[in-house]
Amino acid sequence: MMNRRKRNIFSRITVIIVALLFVMLTLTLLLTAGISTLIVRNWHVDEDNVWMYGVIVLTISVVLGVVLSFAYSAIIIRASRPYLDALQKVAEGDFSVRIKDSLVFSNLDIAKNFNHMVTQLDSVETLRENFVSDFSHEFKTPIVSISGFAKLLKDPTLTAEQRNEYLDVIVDESNRLVELSESVLTLNRLDSVEEIVKEEYLLDEQLRQCVLMFEQQCENKGIELNVDLEKVTVNSNYKFMSQVIMNLLSNAVKFTNGGGKIDVTLKSMGLNAVITVSDTGCGMDEETKGNIFNKFFQGDKSHTTQGNGLGLSIVKKIVELLGGQIFVESKLGVGSTFTVLLLKGA
């Protein structure tokens, strides 16, 4: 569809340029013919001066052709100048530039497409800058913590209990750095994925195995874990889907207190398999819900809960790569429900 649209635009531009060339040639011929007629009417042409007549007509034709060529070139250059200047600014990193279509190329939506492109580029640049800033912050925090506690360990008066406590903090912060690095590398790999290898397997069995890994955690926290899975066969990527399911279950367990409940369901609805993970945890306000899939965003602004804000970004990226969709419904103090729509077919 996009290639057809591009070919249509290029064809229309070609038609405009060819039409202008035809007009220029026609004007040259008409003017030459008109001037030649005037010369014939006012100057007797015979065998002795016919060659001079031919030279004059040829000269007039050449002069008119050159003049009209310059005029044609000026029109095309003037019509193209806004686009060329805008492209130069974009090449220099200015994504704030916007243009309007010139009269020659009006109704081709070139300016509209260009403005949409620079808007997207500006958005990507902003995301890149925010990503670098957030990553630097997230990376710096555990390093500062490790450095601080390592210095404290140099104190010879520390008790064994204090020393072990500081070492535990260093180990935890080191693991946090490892997880952060792995998450960033995962995002980078997902951004470069062009085609995902899929296989046919039972999605309900995959969900059941993932849920089993969290049974002990739920039991230790006193969380009720309910599972309702229909038998559904999908053509998807097992490894990627495991990452999606594990992340959603991990978040549900993390943000649900003792006495709470987690429900995991799988249903077949037409062409889609519908996975829902619901919890009666702390829930989210509207601001948090609107940003939950953004890189490095954490609903817990105090950062007291473990995480780096990349898990749900990875989940959303994977679901989209698999041709699916993910939605979240949440109410502060009530709980959250994540719903994944996944195509069952190829």
Side-chain angles (χ1 to χ4, degrees):
M1 184 68 180
M2 185 61 69
N3 288 336
R4 186 182 303 169
R5 187 178 179 183
K6 289 179 181 177
R7 286 197 298 270
N8 186 39
I9 292 175
F10 291 141
S11 298
R12 292 166 69 183
I13 292 174
T14 303
V15 168
I16 290 172
I17 293 174
V18 171
L20 287 173
L21 278 172
F22 179 77
V23 170
M24 184 193 72
L25 290 173
T26 303
L27 279 174
T28 303
L29 290 173
L30 290 175
L31 289 172
T32 302
I35 294 173
S36 301
T37 302
L38 288 174
I39 292 173
V40 170
R41 286 179 180 178
N42 296 283
W43 182 30
H44 179 68
V45 180
D46 54 29
E47 292 182 359
D48 294 331
N49 60 12
V50 70
W51 63 271
M52 186 175 294
Y53 170 76
V55 171
I56 292 172
V57 172
L58 179 61
T59 303
I60 292 172
S61 178
V62 170
V63 170
L64 286 173
V66 170
V67 170
L68 289 175
S69 294
F70 275 111
Y72 172 77
S73 299
I75 292 171
I76 295 298
I77 290 172
R78 186 174 180 180
S80 304
R81 178 61 60 186
Y83 307 105
L84 298 175
D85 290 343
L87 286 172
Q88 181 63 39
K89 290 181 181 179
V90 172
E92 294 170 356
D94 181 6
F95 301 125
S96 64
V97 61
R98 299 294 184 272
I99 61 174
K100 293 182 179 179
D101 275 322
S102 59
L103 184 61
V104 174
F105 299 120
S106 60
N107 300 321
L108 293 181
D109 289 336
I110 298 176
K112 179 182 176 182
N113 293 329
F114 178 88
N115 293 337
H116 177 70
M117 176 193 73
V118 291
T119 300
Q120 294 298 314
L121 287 173
D122 192 29
S123 175
V124 169
E125 180 65 14
T126 301
L127 286 174
R128 186 192 67 81
E129 291 175 355
N130 291 341
F131 180 85
V132 172
S133 176
D134 292 338
F135 179 78
S136 299
H137 172 75
E138 292 294 333
F139 208 78
K140 179 182 177 182
T141 302
I143 290 178
V144 170
S145 181
I146 291 170
S147 176
F149 282 99
K151 290 177 182 177
L152 290 174
L153 284 172
K154 296 174 70 175
D155 185 352
T157 63
L158 290 177
T159 64
E161 184 179 354
Q162 289 175 317
R163 194 175 298 277
N164 287 329
E165 182 182 350
Y166 295 164
L167 285 171
D168 287 340
V169 172
I170 290 175
V171 170
D172 289 340
E173 292 299 298
S174 298
N175 289 334
R176 183 177 168 187
L177 279 175
V178 171
E179 290 176 4
L180 177 60
S181 300
E182 289 177 347
S183 296
V184 171
L185 288 172
T186 299
L187 272 175
N188 185 57
R189 284 195 295 268
L190 290 173
D191 286 335
S192 61
V193 168
E194 294 183 358
E195 185 178 356
I196 293 182
V197 178
K198 297 181 179 181
E199 59 181 330
E200 194 171 277
Y201 65 90
L202 289 172
L203 182 59
D204 55 298
E205 185 60 33
Q206 182 182 29
L207 272 163
R208 191 172 289 106
Q209 291 178 9
C210 290
V211 168
L212 283 173
M213 297 182 187
F214 290 92
E215 274 194 342
Q216 190 60 51
Q217 284 182 250
C218 290
E219 187 177 332
N220 293 339
K221 289 186 69 174
I223 298 172
E224 180 184 343
L225 183 59
N226 301 314
V227 179
D228 181 14
L229 308 176
E230 288 185 12
K231 185 175 181 179
V232 179
T233 301
V234 295
N235 191 54
S236 188
N237 184 286
Y238 191 94
K239 180 180 178 181
F240 281 161
M241 274 308 300
S242 289
Q243 196 165 353
V244 169
I245 298 165
M246 295 292 286
N247 189 284
L248 294 179
L249 288 172
S250 175
N251 283 342
V253 173
K254 183 194 301 183
F255 295 108
T256 302
N257 294 324
K261 182 174 67 170
I262 296 175
D263 294 318
V264 181
T265 67
L266 170 63
K267 296 184 182 299
S268 176
M269 293 182 61
L271 299 176
N272 295 309
V274 183
I275 303 169
T276 59
V277 178
S278 301
D279 64 65
T280 57
C282 58
M284 296 177 279
D285 56 28
E286 289 301 314
E287 179 188 358
T288 301
K289 189 171 72 171
N291 292 282
I292 199 67
F293 294 110
N294 294 341
K295 296 181 180 71
F296 292 112
F297 181 84
Q298 296 188 57
D300 177 17
K301 294 179 176 61
S302 66
H303 292 251
T304 54
T305 55
Q306 187 179 5
N308 51 47
L310 288 175
L312 287 174
S313 297
I314 293 173
V315 165
K316 189 174 191 296
K317 184 68 176 179
I318 290 174
V319 171
E320 290 176 347
L321 283 172
L322 293 172
Q325 294 175 286
I326 183 168
F327 308 94
V328 59
E329 291 295 331
S330 186
K331 189 173 181 180
L332 195 62
V334 177
S336 303
T337 298
F338 285 86
T339 303
V340 177
L341 297 183
L342 186 66
L343 284 173
K344 292 185 290 184

